[in-house]
mmCIF file of all heavy atoms in Angstrom:
data_model
loop_
_atom_site.group_PDB
_atom_site.id
_atom_site.type_symbol
_atom_site.label_atom_id
_atom_site.label_comp_id
_atom_site.label_asym_id
_atom_site.label_seq_id
_atom_site.Cartn_x
_atom_site.Cartn_y
_atom_site.Cartn_z
ATOM 1 N N GLN A 1 0.854 -1.179 0.003
ATOM 2 C CA GLN A 1 -0.003 -0.001 0.000
ATOM 3 C C GLN A 1 0.895 1.232 -0.003
ATOM 4 O O GLN A 1 1.591 1.483 0.981
ATOM 5 C CB GLN A 1 -0.909 0.020 1.214
ATOM 6 C CG GLN A 1 -1.898 -1.119 1.228
ATOM 7 C CD GLN A 1 -2.763 -1.101 2.463
ATOM 8 O OE1 GLN A 1 -2.608 -0.264 3.329
ATOM 9 N NE2 GLN A 1 -3.673 -2.048 2.540
ATOM 10 N N PRO A 2 0.880 1.998 -1.091
ATOM 11 C CA PRO A 2 1.716 3.199 -1.139
ATOM 12 C C PRO A 2 1.262 4.212 -0.099
ATOM 13 O O PRO A 2 0.074 4.329 0.198
ATOM 14 C CB PRO A 2 1.531 3.733 -2.551
ATOM 15 C CG PRO A 2 0.293 3.083 -3.078
ATOM 16 C CD PRO A 2 0.104 1.816 -2.304
ATOM 17 N N LYS A 3 2.220 4.922 0.450
ATOM 18 C CA LYS A 3 1.913 5.948 1.460
ATOM 19 C C LYS A 3 2.007 7.310 0.817
ATOM 20 O O LYS A 3 2.823 7.547 -0.077
ATOM 21 C CB LYS A 3 2.896 5.843 2.615
ATOM 22 C CG LYS A 3 2.756 4.541 3.373
ATOM 23 C CD LYS A 3 3.630 4.523 4.587
ATOM 24 C CE LYS A 3 3.288 3.348 5.458
ATOM 25 N NZ LYS A 3 4.070 2.205 5.295
ATOM 26 N N ALA A 4 1.200 8.235 1.291
ATOM 27 C CA ALA A 4 1.242 9.610 0.801
ATOM 28 C C ALA A 4 2.539 10.260 1.261
ATOM 29 O O ALA A 4 3.093 9.903 2.297
ATOM 30 C CB ALA A 4 0.039 10.395 1.320
ATOM 31 N N ALA A 5 2.992 11.219 0.489
ATOM 32 C CA ALA A 5 4.194 11.947 0.852
ATOM 33 C C ALA A 5 3.968 12.673 2.176
ATOM 34 O O ALA A 5 2.859 13.102 2.491
ATOM 35 C CB ALA A 5 4.548 12.956 -0.225
ATOM 36 N N SER A 6 5.009 12.822 2.951
ATOM 37 C CA SER A 6 4.857 13.434 4.271
ATOM 38 C C SER A 6 4.378 14.879 4.177
ATOM 39 O O SER A 6 3.698 15.369 5.056
ATOM 40 C CB SER A 6 6.161 13.364 5.040
ATOM 41 O OG SER A 6 7.178 14.054 4.342
ATOM 42 N N LYS A 7 4.715 15.569 3.098
ATOM 43 C CA LYS A 7 4.278 16.953 2.962
ATOM 44 C C LYS A 7 2.807 17.068 2.597
ATOM 45 O O LYS A 7 2.229 18.144 2.652
ATOM 46 C CB LYS A 7 5.121 17.684 1.923
ATOM 47 C CG LYS A 7 4.926 17.203 0.493
ATOM 48 C CD LYS A 7 5.772 17.991 -0.463
ATOM 49 C CE LYS A 7 5.547 17.506 -1.879
ATOM 50 N NZ LYS A 7 6.297 18.236 -2.844
ATOM 51 N N ALA A 8 2.184 15.930 2.233
ATOM 52 C CA ALA A 8 0.794 15.970 1.800
ATOM 53 C C ALA A 8 -0.149 16.401 2.920
ATOM 54 O O ALA A 8 -1.176 16.982 2.672
ATOM 55 C CB ALA A 8 0.368 14.611 1.273
ATOM 56 N N GLY A 9 0.216 16.146 4.164
ATOM 57 C CA GLY A 9 -0.669 16.478 5.270
ATOM 58 C C GLY A 9 -0.344 17.804 5.934
ATOM 59 O O GLY A 9 -0.936 18.152 6.932
ATOM 60 N N ARG A 10 0.604 18.534 5.386
ATOM 61 C CA ARG A 10 1.035 19.785 6.007
ATOM 62 C C ARG A 10 -0.101 20.789 5.965
ATOM 63 O O ARG A 10 -0.682 21.069 4.926
ATOM 64 C CB ARG A 10 2.234 20.347 5.240
ATOM 65 C CG ARG A 10 2.701 21.667 5.809
ATOM 66 C CD ARG A 10 3.583 22.395 4.823
ATOM 67 N NE ARG A 10 2.953 22.661 3.543
ATOM 68 C CZ ARG A 10 2.132 23.682 3.303
ATOM 69 N NH1 ARG A 10 1.814 24.520 4.246
ATOM 70 N NH2 ARG A 10 1.616 23.855 2.110
ATOM 71 N N LYS A 11 -0.415 21.323 7.113
ATOM 72 C CA LYS A 11 -1.465 22.325 7.189
ATOM 73 C C LYS A 11 -0.821 23.687 7.424
ATOM 74 O O LYS A 11 -0.052 23.865 8.368
ATOM 75 C CB LYS A 11 -2.418 22.003 8.337
ATOM 76 C CG LYS A 11 -3.542 22.992 8.466
ATOM 77 C CD LYS A 11 -4.460 22.604 9.594
ATOM 78 C CE LYS A 11 -5.511 23.677 9.779
ATOM 79 N NZ LYS A 11 -6.390 23.383 10.886
ATOM 80 N N PRO A 12 -1.115 24.664 6.575
ATOM 81 C CA PRO A 12 -0.522 25.988 6.749
ATOM 82 C C PRO A 12 -1.043 26.688 8.012
ATOM 83 O O PRO A 12 -2.121 26.379 8.493
ATOM 84 C CB PRO A 12 -0.935 26.748 5.505
ATOM 85 C CG PRO A 12 -1.980 25.971 4.844
ATOM 86 C CD PRO A 12 -1.952 24.577 5.407
ATOM 87 N N ALA A 13 -0.238 27.599 8.508
ATOM 88 C CA ALA A 13 -0.627 28.390 9.687
ATOM 89 C C ALA A 13 -0.940 29.810 9.197
ATOM 90 O O ALA A 13 -0.033 30.624 9.043
ATOM 91 C CB ALA A 13 0.490 28.409 10.698
ATOM 92 N N PRO A 14 -2.214 30.115 8.927
ATOM 93 C CA PRO A 14 -2.557 31.413 8.346
ATOM 94 C C PRO A 14 -2.556 32.539 9.376
ATOM 95 O O PRO A 14 -2.663 32.307 10.578
ATOM 96 C CB PRO A 14 -3.972 31.191 7.822
ATOM 97 C CG PRO A 14 -4.542 30.163 8.743
ATOM 98 C CD PRO A 14 -3.389 29.261 9.101
ATOM 99 N N ALA A 15 -2.456 33.749 8.854
ATOM 100 C CA ALA A 15 -2.613 34.924 9.705
ATOM 101 C C ALA A 15 -4.069 34.964 10.189
ATOM 102 O O ALA A 15 -4.961 34.382 9.583
ATOM 103 C CB ALA A 15 -2.273 36.177 8.920
ATOM 104 N N ARG A 16 -4.310 35.676 11.278
ATOM 105 C CA ARG A 16 -5.634 35.696 11.900
ATOM 106 C C ARG A 16 -6.732 36.108 10.910
ATOM 107 O O ARG A 16 -7.793 35.505 10.879
ATOM 108 C CB ARG A 16 -5.612 36.636 13.092
ATOM 109 C CG ARG A 16 -6.966 36.763 13.753
ATOM 110 C CD ARG A 16 -6.904 37.650 14.952
ATOM 111 N NE ARG A 16 -6.634 36.794 16.101
ATOM 112 C CZ ARG A 16 -6.261 37.230 17.279
ATOM 113 N NH1 ARG A 16 -6.055 38.500 17.474
ATOM 114 N NH2 ARG A 16 -6.077 36.394 18.274
ATOM 115 N N HIS A 17 -6.494 37.134 10.095
ATOM 116 C CA HIS A 17 -7.533 37.613 9.192
ATOM 117 C C HIS A 17 -7.788 36.661 8.024
ATOM 118 O O HIS A 17 -8.800 36.778 7.337
ATOM 119 C CB HIS A 17 -7.191 39.024 8.681
ATOM 120 C CG HIS A 17 -6.016 39.086 7.758
ATOM 121 N ND1 HIS A 17 -4.730 38.929 8.178
ATOM 122 C CD2 HIS A 17 -5.964 39.276 6.423
ATOM 123 C CE1 HIS A 17 -3.903 39.029 7.159
ATOM 124 N NE2 HIS A 17 -4.629 39.238 6.069
ATOM 125 N N LYS A 18 -6.896 35.679 7.816
ATOM 126 C CA LYS A 18 -7.085 34.717 6.730
ATOM 127 C C LYS A 18 -7.596 33.365 7.236
ATOM 128 O O LYS A 18 -7.941 32.506 6.440
ATOM 129 C CB LYS A 18 -5.755 34.478 6.016
ATOM 130 C CG LYS A 18 -5.157 35.674 5.331
ATOM 131 C CD LYS A 18 -3.849 35.246 4.685
ATOM 132 C CE LYS A 18 -3.051 36.402 4.165
ATOM 133 N NZ LYS A 18 -1.770 35.944 3.620
ATOM 134 N N ALA A 19 -7.664 33.197 8.542
ATOM 135 C CA ALA A 19 -7.952 31.882 9.123
ATOM 136 C C ALA A 19 -9.296 31.315 8.675
ATOM 137 O O ALA A 19 -9.406 30.121 8.362
ATOM 138 C CB ALA A 19 -7.897 31.957 10.644
ATOM 139 N N ARG A 20 -10.306 32.129 8.614
ATOM 140 C CA ARG A 20 -11.637 31.656 8.239
ATOM 141 C C ARG A 20 -11.666 31.168 6.786
ATOM 142 O O ARG A 20 -12.232 30.122 6.482
ATOM 143 C CB ARG A 20 -12.635 32.797 8.440
ATOM 144 C CG ARG A 20 -14.030 32.333 8.558
ATOM 145 C CD ARG A 20 -14.874 33.460 9.130
ATOM 146 N NE ARG A 20 -16.238 33.012 9.179
ATOM 147 C CZ ARG A 20 -17.270 33.789 9.094
ATOM 148 N NH1 ARG A 20 -17.095 35.088 8.993
ATOM 149 N NH2 ARG A 20 -18.474 33.302 9.138
ATOM 150 N N LEU A 21 -11.043 31.936 5.921
ATOM 151 C CA LEU A 21 -10.983 31.556 4.509
ATOM 152 C C LEU A 21 -10.144 30.287 4.315
ATOM 153 O O LEU A 21 -10.509 29.414 3.530
ATOM 154 C CB LEU A 21 -10.403 32.722 3.703
ATOM 155 C CG LEU A 21 -10.630 32.734 2.208
ATOM 156 C CD1 LEU A 21 -12.094 32.534 1.860
ATOM 157 C CD2 LEU A 21 -10.164 34.055 1.634
ATOM 158 N N MET A 22 -9.058 30.189 5.062
ATOM 159 C CA MET A 22 -8.216 28.984 4.979
ATOM 160 C C MET A 22 -8.979 27.763 5.480
ATOM 161 O O MET A 22 -8.807 26.661 4.952
ATOM 162 C CB MET A 22 -6.931 29.180 5.783
ATOM 163 C CG MET A 22 -5.970 30.167 5.158
ATOM 164 S SD MET A 22 -5.243 29.596 3.622
ATOM 165 C CE MET A 22 -3.920 28.638 4.271
ATOM 166 N N ALA A 23 -9.826 27.935 6.480
ATOM 167 C CA ALA A 23 -10.632 26.817 6.976
ATOM 168 C C ALA A 23 -11.601 26.330 5.899
ATOM 169 O O ALA A 23 -11.821 25.127 5.749
ATOM 170 C CB ALA A 23 -11.394 27.221 8.227
ATOM 171 N N LYS A 24 -12.171 27.255 5.137
ATOM 172 C CA LYS A 24 -13.069 26.873 4.039
ATOM 173 C C LYS A 24 -12.307 26.138 2.958
ATOM 174 O O LYS A 24 -12.780 25.130 2.424
ATOM 175 C CB LYS A 24 -13.746 28.108 3.469
ATOM 176 C CG LYS A 24 -14.757 28.732 4.400
ATOM 177 C CD LYS A 24 -15.364 29.972 3.788
ATOM 178 C CE LYS A 24 -16.334 30.649 4.742
ATOM 179 N NZ LYS A 24 -16.949 31.836 4.158
ATOM 180 N N ILE A 25 -11.117 26.625 2.643
ATOM 181 C CA ILE A 25 -10.286 25.964 1.632
ATOM 182 C C ILE A 25 -9.914 24.562 2.111
ATOM 183 O O ILE A 25 -9.977 23.589 1.346
ATOM 184 C CB ILE A 25 -9.039 26.810 1.308
ATOM 185 C CG1 ILE A 25 -9.472 28.069 0.550
ATOM 186 C CG2 ILE A 25 -8.016 26.018 0.507
ATOM 187 C CD1 ILE A 25 -8.369 29.097 0.353
ATOM 188 N N GLU A 26 -9.566 24.437 3.376
ATOM 189 C CA GLU A 26 -9.218 23.132 3.946
ATOM 190 C C GLU A 26 -10.403 22.165 3.847
ATOM 191 O O GLU A 26 -10.233 21.002 3.480
ATOM 192 C CB GLU A 26 -8.799 23.284 5.397
ATOM 193 C CG GLU A 26 -8.445 21.966 6.051
ATOM 194 C CD GLU A 26 -8.027 22.125 7.502
ATOM 195 O OE1 GLU A 26 -8.294 23.174 8.108
ATOM 196 O OE2 GLU A 26 -7.433 21.166 8.022
ATOM 197 N N ALA A 27 -11.592 22.642 4.125
ATOM 198 C CA ALA A 27 -12.784 21.797 4.044
ATOM 199 C C ALA A 27 -13.037 21.347 2.608
ATOM 200 O O ALA A 27 -13.391 20.173 2.369
ATOM 201 C CB ALA A 27 -14.001 22.547 4.572
ATOM 202 N N MET A 28 -12.837 22.248 1.662
ATOM 203 C CA MET A 28 -13.053 21.872 0.253
ATOM 204 C C MET A 28 -12.016 20.853 -0.206
ATOM 205 O O MET A 28 -12.346 19.922 -0.955
ATOM 206 C CB MET A 28 -13.023 23.125 -0.626
ATOM 207 C CG MET A 28 -14.181 24.057 -0.299
ATOM 208 S SD MET A 28 -14.344 25.358 -1.478
ATOM 209 C CE MET A 28 -15.224 24.469 -2.739
ATOM 210 N N LEU A 29 -10.774 21.010 0.234
ATOM 211 C CA LEU A 29 -9.737 20.043 -0.104
ATOM 212 C C LEU A 29 -10.059 18.680 0.508
ATOM 213 O O LEU A 29 -9.908 17.655 -0.142
ATOM 214 C CB LEU A 29 -8.367 20.526 0.369
ATOM 215 C CG LEU A 29 -7.763 21.708 -0.370
ATOM 216 C CD1 LEU A 29 -6.522 22.216 0.368
ATOM 217 C CD2 LEU A 29 -7.417 21.355 -1.796
ATOM 218 N N ALA A 30 -10.495 18.680 1.752
ATOM 219 C CA ALA A 30 -10.823 17.423 2.429
ATOM 220 C C ALA A 30 -11.996 16.714 1.747
ATOM 221 O O ALA A 30 -11.964 15.502 1.550
ATOM 222 C CB ALA A 30 -11.157 17.685 3.893
ATOM 223 N N THR A 31 -12.995 17.479 1.352
ATOM 224 C CA THR A 31 -14.137 16.893 0.660
ATOM 225 C C THR A 31 -13.716 16.270 -0.673
ATOM 226 O O THR A 31 -14.218 15.217 -1.050
ATOM 227 C CB THR A 31 -15.212 17.975 0.408
ATOM 228 O OG1 THR A 31 -15.610 18.510 1.677
ATOM 229 C CG2 THR A 31 -16.433 17.391 -0.285
ATOM 230 N N ALA A 32 -12.784 16.923 -1.344
ATOM 231 C CA ALA A 32 -12.303 16.409 -2.636
ATOM 232 C C ALA A 32 -11.273 15.310 -2.461
ATOM 233 O O ALA A 32 -10.886 14.674 -3.438
ATOM 234 C CB ALA A 32 -11.721 17.566 -3.455
ATOM 235 N N GLY A 33 -10.787 15.119 -1.232
ATOM 236 C CA GLY A 33 -9.766 14.113 -0.992
ATOM 237 C C GLY A 33 -8.398 14.529 -1.505
ATOM 238 O O GLY A 33 -7.607 13.696 -1.936
ATOM 239 N N ARG A 34 -8.136 15.823 -1.471
ATOM 240 C CA ARG A 34 -6.871 16.340 -1.995
ATOM 241 C C ARG A 34 -6.013 16.894 -0.861
ATOM 242 O O ARG A 34 -6.518 17.452 0.095
ATOM 243 C CB ARG A 34 -7.152 17.433 -3.019
ATOM 244 C CG ARG A 34 -7.876 16.874 -4.225
ATOM 245 C CD ARG A 34 -7.994 17.881 -5.310
ATOM 246 N NE ARG A 34 -8.528 17.253 -6.513
ATOM 247 C CZ ARG A 34 -9.498 17.746 -7.233
ATOM 248 N NH1 ARG A 34 -10.034 18.900 -6.907
ATOM 249 N NH2 ARG A 34 -9.915 17.122 -8.299
ATOM 250 N N PRO A 35 -4.685 16.778 -0.999
ATOM 251 C CA PRO A 35 -3.788 17.282 0.042
ATOM 252 C C PRO A 35 -3.536 18.789 -0.103
ATOM 253 O O PRO A 35 -3.888 19.400 -1.122
ATOM 254 C CB PRO A 35 -2.498 16.502 -0.215
ATOM 255 C CG PRO A 35 -2.512 16.268 -1.684
ATOM 256 C CD PRO A 35 -3.968 16.042 -2.031
ATOM 257 N N TRP A 36 -2.885 19.369 0.894
ATOM 258 C CA TRP A 36 -2.529 20.789 0.828
ATOM 259 C C TRP A 36 -1.582 21.045 -0.329
ATOM 260 O O TRP A 36 -1.552 22.154 -0.882
ATOM 261 C CB TRP A 36 -1.910 21.246 2.144
ATOM 262 C CG TRP A 36 -2.947 21.615 3.139
ATOM 263 C CD1 TRP A 36 -3.340 20.895 4.220
ATOM 264 C CD2 TRP A 36 -3.757 22.803 3.149
ATOM 265 N NE1 TRP A 36 -4.345 21.545 4.896
ATOM 266 C CE2 TRP A 36 -4.618 22.734 4.256
ATOM 267 C CE3 TRP A 36 -3.846 23.915 2.317
ATOM 268 C CZ2 TRP A 36 -5.536 23.709 4.566
ATOM 269 C CZ3 TRP A 36 -4.762 24.909 2.620
ATOM 270 C CH2 TRP A 36 -5.598 24.801 3.734
ATOM 271 N N ALA A 37 -0.816 20.056 -0.719
ATOM 272 C CA ALA A 37 0.109 20.234 -1.843
ATOM 273 C C ALA A 37 -0.673 20.593 -3.119
ATOM 274 O O ALA A 37 -0.157 21.302 -3.988
ATOM 275 C CB ALA A 37 0.930 18.963 -2.065
ATOM 276 N N TYR A 38 -1.901 20.101 -3.250
ATOM 277 C CA TYR A 38 -2.740 20.447 -4.397
ATOM 278 C C TYR A 38 -3.036 21.947 -4.401
ATOM 279 O O TYR A 38 -2.957 22.600 -5.435
ATOM 280 C CB TYR A 38 -4.038 19.637 -4.329
ATOM 281 C CG TYR A 38 -4.971 19.883 -5.504
ATOM 282 C CD1 TYR A 38 -4.793 19.199 -6.696
ATOM 283 C CD2 TYR A 38 -6.029 20.778 -5.415
ATOM 284 C CE1 TYR A 38 -5.639 19.419 -7.780
ATOM 285 C CE2 TYR A 38 -6.879 21.005 -6.480
ATOM 286 C CZ TYR A 38 -6.678 20.318 -7.653
ATOM 287 O OH TYR A 38 -7.501 20.541 -8.727
ATOM 288 N N ALA A 39 -3.369 22.499 -3.229
ATOM 289 C CA ALA A 39 -3.641 23.924 -3.136
ATOM 290 C C ALA A 39 -2.372 24.739 -3.402
ATOM 291 O O ALA A 39 -2.435 25.792 -4.029
ATOM 292 C CB ALA A 39 -4.209 24.260 -1.755
ATOM 293 N N ASP A 40 -1.224 24.249 -2.918
ATOM 294 C CA ASP A 40 0.041 24.912 -3.215
ATOM 295 C C ASP A 40 0.291 24.958 -4.720
ATOM 296 O O ASP A 40 0.738 25.965 -5.269
ATOM 297 C CB ASP A 40 1.206 24.219 -2.510
ATOM 298 C CG ASP A 40 1.221 24.445 -1.003
ATOM 299 O OD1 ASP A 40 0.614 25.446 -0.541
ATOM 300 O OD2 ASP A 40 1.851 23.641 -0.301
ATOM 301 N N ALA A 41 0.003 23.850 -5.400
ATOM 302 C CA ALA A 41 0.183 23.806 -6.857
ATOM 303 C C ALA A 41 -0.765 24.774 -7.558
ATOM 304 O O ALA A 41 -0.392 25.429 -8.541
ATOM 305 C CB ALA A 41 -0.040 22.374 -7.364
ATOM 306 N N MET A 42 -1.997 24.879 -7.057
ATOM 307 C CA MET A 42 -2.936 25.847 -7.626
ATOM 308 C C MET A 42 -2.438 27.279 -7.429
ATOM 309 O O MET A 42 -2.539 28.110 -8.331
ATOM 310 C CB MET A 42 -4.332 25.691 -7.000
ATOM 311 C CG MET A 42 -5.086 24.484 -7.488
ATOM 312 S SD MET A 42 -6.764 24.412 -6.797
ATOM 313 C CE MET A 42 -7.565 25.757 -7.653
ATOM 314 N N ALA A 43 -1.901 27.560 -6.240
ATOM 315 C CA ALA A 43 -1.382 28.898 -5.962
ATOM 316 C C ALA A 43 -0.224 29.226 -6.908
ATOM 317 O O ALA A 43 -0.137 30.336 -7.435
ATOM 318 C CB ALA A 43 -0.927 28.996 -4.507
#
């Protein structure tokens, strides 16, 4: 069973004013089954 890369689970630490938006992005990534690395690639 292949394992995901260790960086795949890295959760960013946003500034206070961005925290709510980052939480929404995190929820959308989780629903899609995608890691934070996917969002980094989009950025």
